[in-house]
Amino acid sequence: MSLPPLVEPAAELTVDEVRRYSRHLIIPDVGMAGQKRLKNARVLCVGAGGLGSPALMYLAAAGVGTLGVIDFDTVDESNLQRQIIHGQSDVGRSKAESAASTVREINPLVNVVVHNEALTNDNVMELFAQYDLIVDGTDNFATRYMVNDAAVLLGKPYVWGSIYRFDGQASVFWAEHGPCYRCLYPEPPPPGMVPSCAEGGVLGVLCASIGSIQVNEAIKLLTGIGEPLVGRLMIYDALEMTYRQVKVRKDPECPLCGKNPTITELLEDYEAFCGAVSEEASEAAAGSTITARELKDMQDRGEDIFLVDVREINEYEIVSIPGATLIPKGEFLNGSALELLPHDKKIVLHCKSGVRSAEALAVVKNAGFSDAVHVGGGVLAWVSQIDPSLPSY
């Protein structure tokens, strides 16, 4: 369905703006009125990473008058494979500042507002209130629910995108005209069920595919043209090169935007709501977590341990801790790994950062290996604290 323009047009376009945006101006559906609306628009991009990179660059090129970017992270070399708004010289720099520099280079006529901070319950309402439209480029469920809840409570539309390996999704959530994110995903997936991009990887160019869809939707909402993805979920498979749509209906029982909402303010703790680690894994890890240095000391003392790497084989091929045996987490969850564990040695588990090994630890302890432990921080901690010559990812 078509929707009215989100913003009023600016009073005029300068001669420089007419020259710059001429290819927009000669499109009948956009024209002077549409470009003036873009000039008058205020858009906040949450995240300057994989999705935020193309989104910010194309929003700037399109002539969005005020472009906000919020990100608390710094640029890492592993980001450069897909986060094209940053360059080699930006490694170690604030992502928000780096992104702002690129935006200004693309279009100096855009007013860039930098929010070099984390998005939290304490600032999300105040930040969102300053903008007409939110573009969600986050990569974790806790922040996605926070973005959705704040947008609904403020009556703001937002454009959502998600990427993983070769698969991408995009939609527009606007409770006034259709469903919200909670209508599609009433509850987050169980802890460990959906790996993050840091754990499972993502094809770099997929970010551009989904990020460009997000910008396309943002332009349509701001100018009032076309049919936005309100009530529709776009699903993209890069390997098969297919797009398909799924209708998303407003849930009348949605606790946030339904007929009788029960959520009338932001949840206190989205991290607890989404639970990166299950309660069982947290209980197993309590008192059974060692540091990378403690593992190294155990090896140096010649302690009789059985070190298990629960990552996937492609991760193991990138970097591994000396002496580790690869048994992927899935084999612990289905029980087949248990027969491979010796009963006369102390079991020490590790993964990339400590999340997956905590889940595997719960299985191992339930199987009777009461003295088993896992390495907090995983192989990343080993590289940073024990052997920096090894590659990180």
Side-chain angles (χ1 to χ4, degrees):
M1 61 179 177
S2 59
L3 295 172
L6 191 58
V7 295
E8 294 298 317
E12 62 178 4
L13 296 181
T14 66
V15 173
D16 288 341
E17 288 169 335
V18 170
R19 281 197 294 261
R20 178 177 286 267
Y21 307 127
S22 62
R23 298 304 185 273
H24 272 178
L25 300 178
I26 59 178
I27 301 175
D29 289 344
V30 180
M32 288 290 287
Q35 195 62 49
K36 287 179 180 178
R37 293 185 195 280
L38 293 176
K39 178 179 179 179
N40 207 31
R42 300 178 61 86
V43 176
L44 175 67
C45 189
V46 183
L51 291 175
S53 290
L56 285 162
M57 294 167 75
Y58 271 106
L59 287 168
V64 171
T66 299
L67 194 51
V69 53
I70 178 167
D71 200 310
F72 68 95
D73 202 1
T74 56
V75 180
D76 182 81
E77 193 169 14
S78 66
N79 301 149
L80 303 182
Q81 162 258 7
R82 64 202 177 281
Q83 299 180 17
I84 57 171
I85 203 166
H86 314 296
Q88 185 64 40
S89 61
D90 296 312
V91 172
R93 187 182 181 193
S94 154
K95 281 188 179 180
E97 293 288 355
S98 171
S101 295
T102 301
V103 166
R104 294 185 183 107
E105 182 64 25
I106 291 173
N107 190 349
L109 303 179
V110 172
N111 173 36
V112 190
V113 182
V114 175
H115 304 282
N116 191 11
E117 56 187 315
L119 191 69
T120 67
N121 286 30
D122 295 329
N123 63 15
V124 64
M125 298 293 280
E126 181 182 354
L127 282 173
F128 281 18
Q130 302 172 39
Y131 295 90
D132 303 303
L133 176 68
I134 313 300
V135 174
D136 183 5
T138 58
D139 62 355
N140 65 86
F141 289 101
T143 310
R144 287 171 185 166
Y145 279 98
M146 183 196 303
V147 169
N148 176 78
D149 294 358
V152 172
L153 293 173
L154 289 169
K156 306 276 184 179
Y158 78 99
V159 186
W160 170 81
S162 175
I163 50 176
Y164 178 68
R165 290 186 176 169
F166 299 98
D167 301 319
Q169 300 180 0
S171 189
V172 172
F173 296 110
W174 194 357
E176 184 177 337
H177 297 282
C180 76
Y181 184 75
R182 286 182 182 270
C183 296
L184 177 62
Y185 297 113
E187 295 181 354
M193 179 68 70
V194 181
S196 66
C197 290
E199 292 179 347
V202 61
L203 185 69
V205 72
L206 181 67
C207 302
S209 300
I210 300 303
S212 63
I213 290 176
Q214 289 182 279
V215 176
N216 186 65
E217 294 306 301
I219 291 174
K220 287 156 60 179
L221 288 166
L222 295 169
T223 59
I225 62 175
E227 296 186 10
L229 282 174
V230 175
R232 294 182 291 153
L233 176 67
M234 178 68 72
I235 302 173
Y236 172 55
D237 184 330
L239 281 183
E240 298 294 332
M241 190 45 67
T242 58
Y243 289 91
R244 63 187 179 94
Q245 292 185 41
V246 175
K247 287 186 177 180
V248 182
R249 302 188 184 281
K250 193 177 186 71
D251 181 3
E253 303 302 322
C254 176
L256 184 64
C257 73
K259 295 179 181 178
N260 299 297
T262 57
I263 300 176
T264 57
E265 58 184 20
L266 292 175
L267 294 180
E268 292 184 2
D269 193 341
Y270 286 91
E271 293 292 341
F273 173 64
C274 294
V277 179
S278 68
E279 183 177 345
E280 186 177 20
S282 297
E283 292 175 356
S288 297
T289 302
I290 65 172
T291 64
R293 171 56 61 188
E294 287 173 322
L295 171 60
K296 183 65 166 61
D297 291 341
M298 292 168 71
Q299 291 179 327
D300 291 344
R301 291 193 299 267
E303 290 190 25
D304 199 13
I305 65 172
F306 187 64
L307 179 61
V308 182
D309 187 334
V310 305
R311 298 174 299 155
E312 300 300 314
I313 187 169
N314 54 312
E315 296 177 88
Y316 184 82
E317 291 172 347
I318 297 172
V319 60
S320 62
I321 297 177
T325 298
L326 179 65
I327 308 177
K329 185 189 78 171
E331 297 183 25
F332 285 91
L333 299 184
N334 66 29
S336 62
L338 297 176
E339 62 186 28
L340 303 176
L341 304 181
H343 289 268
D344 58 346
K345 295 182 179 181
K346 185 183 185 69
I347 307 301
V348 180
L349 308 169
H350 85 81
C351 61
K352 179 180 180 180
S353 62
V355 175
R356 284 173 284 176
S357 58
E359 299 289 345
L361 181 65
V363 175
V364 170
K365 283 186 170 291
N366 286 337
F369 297 87
S370 58
D371 63 343
V373 297
H374 85 125
V375 181
V379 72
L380 294 182
W382 182 273
V383 172
S384 64
Q385 300 171 22
I386 307 300
D387 190 356
S389 68
L390 294 175
S392 186
Y393 71 102

